[in-house]
Amino acid sequence: MIYKRENGYKNLDKKRMKEIFDFAEDYKKFLDKGKTEREVTMQMEAFAKKAGFKPAESYKKLKAGDKVYYINREKNIVLAVIGKQEIEEGANFIVAHIDSPRLDLKQNPLFEDSEYAMMKTHYYGGIKKYQWGSIPLAMHGVVILKNGDKLDLSIGEDEDEPIFMIPDLLPHLDKNVQRERKSEDVLKGEELKIIVGAIPATIKDKEVKDLVKYAIVEKLNKDYGIDEEDLFTAELELVPAHKAKDVGFDRALIAAYGHDDRVCSYSAAMAIMDLKEIPQKTLICYLADKEEIGSTGGTGLESRYLEFFMSDLITKLSSKDVYTTLTKCLWNSKSISSDVDAGFHPIFKEVHDEQNASKLSYGITLVKFTGARGKAGSNDADAEYISEIRTLFNKNNIKWQVSELGKVDEGGGGTVAKFLANYGIKTVDAGLAVLGMHSPNEVISKYDLYEIYKAYKVFLMGV
């Protein structure tokens, strides 16, 4: 009668431990190769093709068992497996996001100051700004050249490549400039400038004043064909240059950039790709962009892309009226908003209500509501649906827990759940606990990683 939760690592046999650790190794490789939403989408497309998925546009008609995918502007990927039931009876959705907090180059980024060539950035999402100081950064993204060619860039990941850095101020001199600032202003937004060069150009043109900047423009043009004007239309991101690594003597945990929310994206995608039998309901894994800034824009979940690809599926499955079938389908659908939660912090316990805090290695966490004070901006899933998910997990021996993000009035956060619920889709947040969320190096449990993968497979099949 009394609910008890315990660490999932307790009493695991060697076979299960090996499964967990092997799954984690593949996930780490995925993280190291996918540090932007474009790179994740590219990897997922390759995984999907290997698993038998084909582009949706290659089909005029679809039938039960068909596996298709959609890509939206290289920043969303949708995986769908067609089920036996009529589409208007609903689908099972798992929706996660593949963007993570980072630094974006400003549109006109390059300048010289004190004989350093530097670039200006604008932070994306909610990492504490001071955490960007004095860490190795890699530059990823795309540049559209004047001739229309598209150049994919990744600089700073390989051992023989240079990195970029925002130099912090030494403690010997920070007393009057920095030390009294509040934590959010230790490094201010306009101080997040990366060093990109320090060797002046050897030219005799007296009209050229910024010789280091000029040398960098020359090098960019020589090495990549990039002119300074090409930077104005580029999409370049600065991300931590380190690799995913095990944590601790026992290697139970993983530290990496981008667990939020690529850990859920990876697990959800692997779950739908690994299913072998034809499902009853149509299954959808939707990996979205822009969650970290409110799910806005044409690749965020607030866009109408969900309507676009679902309407296309319906057109290829049924001759019925698309709008009516779509609204019925969505209203009859169920979903997991697959996002991470703040794990109980062993150093800053006071921000949590421990009884309602998720813990690492305790399995998937069900979050009834996210949001700020007074549940503002949350989905607030209903009791009937949470009970249904609980029963499903219990039946299949999935270890689960319940949680909310911090004490009441302590803070809060958001997910994509409310955008799904707006369509009438039954939705609950379910992911895993993270230590140091929204930092350049977040920490998760390998046990939880594997458990959410299992949980998502169970949810998709609904058995």
Side-chain angles (χ1 to χ4, degrees):
M1 292 177 62
I2 301 299
Y3 171 72
K4 294 181 180 179
R5 59 176 177 171
E6 65 176 5
N7 191 303
Y9 275 121
K10 287 185 176 179
N11 304 316
L12 283 183
D13 59 36
K14 290 183 179 179
K15 180 181 177 182
R16 180 76 187 284
M17 190 73 81
K18 185 178 187 304
E19 289 176 356
I20 291 169
F21 276 53
D22 287 348
F23 191 78
E25 288 306 304
D26 289 337
Y27 169 63
K28 285 156 58 180
K29 293 174 185 175
F30 159 78
L31 280 183
D32 290 342
K33 292 180 180 178
K35 292 195 174 181
T36 70
E37 62 281 9
R38 288 178 183 267
E39 291 170 351
V40 170
T41 299
M42 190 184 303
Q43 277 198 88
M44 287 300 182
E45 182 181 19
F47 293 157
K49 287 179 177 179
K50 190 174 181 180
F53 287 73
K54 298 179 181 179
E57 61 264 28
S58 66
Y59 287 86
K60 290 184 178 180
K61 292 293 181 181
L62 291 168
K63 65 182 185 303
D66 285 342
K67 300 177 180 181
V68 299
Y69 69 88
Y70 296 82
I71 291 180
N72 177 31
R73 300 172 187 178
E74 301 185 12
K75 297 181 181 180
N76 295 161
I77 184 166
V78 179
L79 307 170
V81 179
I82 306 304
K84 298 175 184 177
Q85 293 182 2
E86 295 291 329
I87 190 68
E88 64 185 33
E89 295 183 41
N92 289 345
F93 287 80
I94 298 182
V95 184
H97 68 92
I98 53 178
D99 61 316
S100 293
R102 60 176 189 260
L103 297 175
D104 289 338
L105 287 190
K106 286 191 176 185
Q107 282 188 270
N108 185 358
L110 185 60
F111 71 104
E112 181 175 330
D113 191 347
S114 307
E115 295 189 282
Y116 293 104
M118 306 184 79
M119 286 184 172
K120 298 180 178 183
T121 72
H122 192 136
Y123 61 91
Y124 171 101
I127 280 186
K128 297 173 184 176
K129 292 187 285 291
Y130 68 78
Q131 293 183 319
W132 291 115
S134 298
I135 67 170
L137 299 172
M139 184 180 294
H140 294 243
V142 296
V143 183
I144 308 300
L145 305 179
K146 283 183 180 178
N147 63 7
D149 289 347
K150 180 179 173 182
L151 176 67
D152 292 304
L153 278 186
S154 175
I155 306 170
E157 297 292 350
D158 292 340
E159 289 298 323
D160 61 345
E161 291 179 338
I163 54 96
F164 306 94
M165 200 182 77
I166 299 166
D168 202 353
L169 183 61
L170 68 165
H172 308 70
L173 298 176
D174 73 347
K175 180 179 179 182
N176 295 320
V177 176
Q178 193 181 45
R179 197 177 302 177
E180 298 303 317
R181 294 180 180 181
K182 292 183 178 180
S183 63
E184 63 181 355
D185 290 326
V186 171
L187 276 175
K188 297 180 180 181
E190 287 292 344
E191 294 170 343
L192 299 176
K193 300 168 183 175
I194 59 168
I195 293 177
V196 298
I199 300 174
T202 54
I203 61 171
K204 297 180 180 179
D205 188 342
K206 293 182 179 180
E207 292 185 7
V208 177
K209 304 298 182 185
D210 297 330
L211 294 177
V212 183
K213 174 186 172 180
Y214 187 88
I216 292 303
V217 173
E218 279 191 320
K219 185 163 184 61
L220 287 173
N221 187 262
K222 178 183 177 183
D223 292 352
Y224 305 104
I226 296 173
D227 291 340
E228 184 177 9
E229 188 178 300
D230 294 331
L231 297 175
F232 298 178
T233 59
E235 187 177 282
L236 294 171
E237 306 173 10
L238 280 302
V239 298
H242 55 248
K243 307 293 186 185
K245 300 285 286 185
D246 292 345
V247 175
F249 294 115
D250 57 8
R251 297 178 175 264
L253 311 175
I254 304 171
Y257 165 69
H259 285 317
D260 179 13
D261 185 36
R262 291 168 190 149
V263 61
C264 294
S265 299
Y266 180 82
S267 300
M270 292 303 107
I272 195 170
M273 290 182 201
D274 288 349
L275 295 174
K276 304 302 180 187
E277 59 188 285
I278 299 176
Q280 291 298 313
K281 287 185 175 291
T282 293
L283 311 180
I284 307 289
C285 175
Y286 181 4
L287 305 184
D289 182 28
K290 297 290 192 291
E291 192 274 347
E292 297 295 358
I293 57 171
S295 296
T296 57
T299 56
L301 204 66
E302 199 172 10
S303 76
R304 301 185 69 175
Y305 189 62
L306 185 146
E307 296 173 40
F308 171 82
F309 72 75
M310 287 302 295
S311 296
D312 186 67
L313 281 179
I314 289 167
T315 301
K316 292 171 178 175
L317 284 168
S318 171
S319 59
K320 296 180 181 179
D321 175 71
V322 173
Y323 177 77
T324 303
T325 305
L326 174 63
T327 53
K328 283 183 178 180
C329 170
L330 296 179
W331 202 263
N332 291 327
S333 291
K334 300 172 184 178
S335 74
I336 282 179
S337 169
S338 178
D339 209 341
V340 298
D341 186 43
F344 186 77
H345 203 295
I347 300 171
F348 299 104
K349 299 182 180 72
E350 63 271 20
V351 302
H352 299 282
D353 167 13
E354 185 172 359
Q355 186 171 318
N356 287 283
S358 60
K359 294 187 175 183
L360 269 68
S361 305
Y362 279 66
I364 191 168
T365 179
L366 297 178
V367 183
K368 177 176 168 61
F369 55 85
T370 58
R373 291 167 175 81
K375 299 186 179 181
S378 70
N379 166 47
D380 207 3
D382 60 68
E384 291 85 352
Y385 186 51
I386 296 178
S387 179
E388 183 180 331
I389 297 298
R390 174 190 68 172
T391 300
L392 185 66
F393 286 171
N394 283 341
K395 177 183 175 182
N396 289 278
N397 297 315
I398 301 296
K399 185 174 282 294
W400 61 276
Q401 55 185 318
V402 295
S403 69
E404 62 178 273
L405 203 155
K407 287 181 177 178
V408 177
D409 290 339
E410 193 70 41
T415 68
V416 300
K418 64 181 180 180
F419 303 109
L420 298 167
N422 285 345
Y423 287 106
I425 303 172
K426 292 181 180 179
T427 306
V428 65
D429 285 290
L432 53 65
V434 177
L435 279 183
M437 190 200 302
H438 279 223
S439 74
N441 214 13
E442 303 167 318
V443 178
I444 66 157
S445 165
K446 292 180 181 179
Y447 176 86
D448 294 337
L449 167 66
Y450 195 65
E451 200 69 6
I452 65 169
Y453 160 74
K454 289 169 49 192
Y456 294 158
K457 288 179 72 173
V458 165
F459 168 78
L460 287 169
M461 295 303 290
V463 294

